[in-house]
Amino acid sequence: MKAGFLALPLLLGSCRSPEPDPGVARQLAALSSRIAALETEVADLKTGQRVRGAANAGDVTARAAAQNCAIALARTLELFRQSSLGNRYPTPALVVLPDACEGQRVGWKKLEAQQYTFAVTNGDGEVLAQQSGP
């Protein structure tokens, strides 16, 4: 019975977990660092996509508003021509911009009795929409 008690500490001593391998600890630390860096990169990419998406949505909205203005103005010019005595487009002084063009920049390339060309631009002068007729 005494031999059993003496063998118990030896058995328990052999059940201890081994000391961690320093190489494995370094690899785990390196992997943890890479994971953290990748998680940061993914978060940055997601944020960048949201910002670019908002900018693209703004561009799309501006182009749609400009196109709406161009269509409404072309319609206004055609209605004027159809109701005029000489079947003519209005002179610049007689042009009344439709409500759809409020806040838009309309630039005339040509406005003559029988034809017109104009562009709707943004603040940088980039053409967002244009129309000409007939």
Side-chain angles (χ1 to χ4, degrees), residues 17 28 31 59 79 85-86 99:
S17 61
L28 285 174
L31 284 174
D59 290 345
L79 288 173
L85 290 176
D99 291 342

PDB file of all heavy atoms in Angstrom, residues 17 28 31 59 79 85-86 99:
ATOM      1  N   SER A  17       1.423  19.114 -18.119  1.00  0.00           N
ATOM      2  CA  SER A  17       1.483  19.487 -19.525  1.00  0.00           C
ATOM      3  C   SER A  17       2.908  19.910 -19.851  1.00  0.00           C
ATOM      4  O   SER A  17       3.590  20.517 -19.038  1.00  0.00           O
ATOM      5  CB  SER A  17       0.507  20.620 -19.820  1.00  0.00           C
ATOM      6  OG  SER A  17       0.827  21.755 -19.060  1.00  0.00           O
ATOM      7  N   LEU A  28       2.147  31.340 -33.513  1.00  0.00           N
ATOM      8  CA  LEU A  28       0.808  31.783 -33.106  1.00  0.00           C
ATOM      9  C   LEU A  28       0.725  33.297 -33.006  1.00  0.00           C
ATOM     10  O   LEU A  28      -0.260  33.911 -33.426  1.00  0.00           O
ATOM     11  CB  LEU A  28       0.417  31.143 -31.773  1.00  0.00           C
ATOM     12  CG  LEU A  28       0.021  29.666 -31.835  1.00  0.00           C
ATOM     13  CD1 LEU A  28      -0.206  29.112 -30.426  1.00  0.00           C
ATOM     14  CD2 LEU A  28      -1.222  29.481 -32.678  1.00  0.00           C
ATOM     15  N   LEU A  31       0.627  34.655 -36.576  1.00  0.00           N
ATOM     16  CA  LEU A  31      -0.688  34.432 -37.171  1.00  0.00           C
ATOM     17  C   LEU A  31      -1.732  35.392 -36.589  1.00  0.00           C
ATOM     18  O   LEU A  31      -2.554  35.942 -37.320  1.00  0.00           O
ATOM     19  CB  LEU A  31      -1.137  32.981 -36.971  1.00  0.00           C
ATOM     20  CG  LEU A  31      -0.460  31.949 -37.872  1.00  0.00           C
ATOM     21  CD1 LEU A  31      -0.881  30.543 -37.460  1.00  0.00           C
ATOM     22  CD2 LEU A  31      -0.807  32.191 -39.327  1.00  0.00           C
ATOM     23  N   ASP A  59     -23.279  61.317 -57.969  1.00  0.00           N
ATOM     24  CA  ASP A  59     -23.079  61.535 -59.406  1.00  0.00           C
ATOM     25  C   ASP A  59     -24.293  61.081 -60.199  1.00  0.00           C
ATOM     26  O   ASP A  59     -24.736  61.765 -61.122  1.00  0.00           O
ATOM     27  CB  ASP A  59     -21.840  60.779 -59.900  1.00  0.00           C
ATOM     28  CG  ASP A  59     -20.544  61.369 -59.386  1.00  0.00           C
ATOM     29  OD1 ASP A  59     -20.553  62.516 -58.882  1.00  0.00           O
ATOM     30  OD2 ASP A  59     -19.510  60.675 -59.490  1.00  0.00           O
ATOM     31  N   LEU A  79     -42.661  72.913 -77.672  1.00  0.00           N
ATOM     32  CA  LEU A  79     -44.013  73.468 -77.498  1.00  0.00           C
ATOM     33  C   LEU A  79     -44.057  74.915 -77.979  1.00  0.00           C
ATOM     34  O   LEU A  79     -45.028  75.344 -78.621  1.00  0.00           O
ATOM     35  CB  LEU A  79     -44.455  73.363 -76.039  1.00  0.00           C
ATOM     36  CG  LEU A  79     -44.788  71.961 -75.553  1.00  0.00           C
ATOM     37  CD1 LEU A  79     -45.043  71.961 -74.039  1.00  0.00           C
ATOM     38  CD2 LEU A  79     -45.989  71.405 -76.291  1.00  0.00           C
ATOM     39  N   LEU A  85     -45.863  81.524 -84.645  1.00  0.00           N
ATOM     40  CA  LEU A  85     -46.365  81.824 -85.982  1.00  0.00           C
ATOM     41  C   LEU A  85     -45.426  81.312 -87.070  1.00  0.00           C
ATOM     42  O   LEU A  85     -45.861  80.755 -88.053  1.00  0.00           O
ATOM     43  CB  LEU A  85     -46.569  83.331 -86.146  1.00  0.00           C
ATOM     44  CG  LEU A  85     -47.728  83.919 -85.346  1.00  0.00           C
ATOM     45  CD1 LEU A  85     -47.770  85.425 -85.501  1.00  0.00           C
ATOM     46  CD2 LEU A  85     -49.042  83.283 -85.759  1.00  0.00           C
ATOM     47  N   GLY A  86     -44.150  81.486 -86.893  1.00  0.00           N
ATOM     48  CA  GLY A  86     -43.194  81.084 -87.921  1.00  0.00           C
ATOM     49  C   GLY A  86     -42.592  79.711 -87.696  1.00  0.00           C
ATOM     50  O   GLY A  86     -41.596  79.362 -88.324  1.00  0.00           O
ATOM     51  N   ASP A  99     -39.322  74.263 -64.440  1.00  0.00           N
ATOM     52  CA  ASP A  99     -39.004  74.037 -63.022  1.00  0.00           C
ATOM     53  C   ASP A  99     -37.941  72.961 -62.833  1.00  0.00           C
ATOM     54  O   ASP A  99     -37.148  73.027 -61.893  1.00  0.00           O
ATOM     55  CB  ASP A  99     -40.266  73.639 -62.248  1.00  0.00           C
ATOM     56  CG  ASP A  99     -41.257  74.785 -62.118  1.00  0.00           C
ATOM     57  OD1 ASP A  99     -40.849  75.953 -62.307  1.00  0.00           O
ATOM     58  OD2 ASP A  99     -42.444  74.513 -61.824  1.00  0.00           O
TER      59      ASP A  99
END
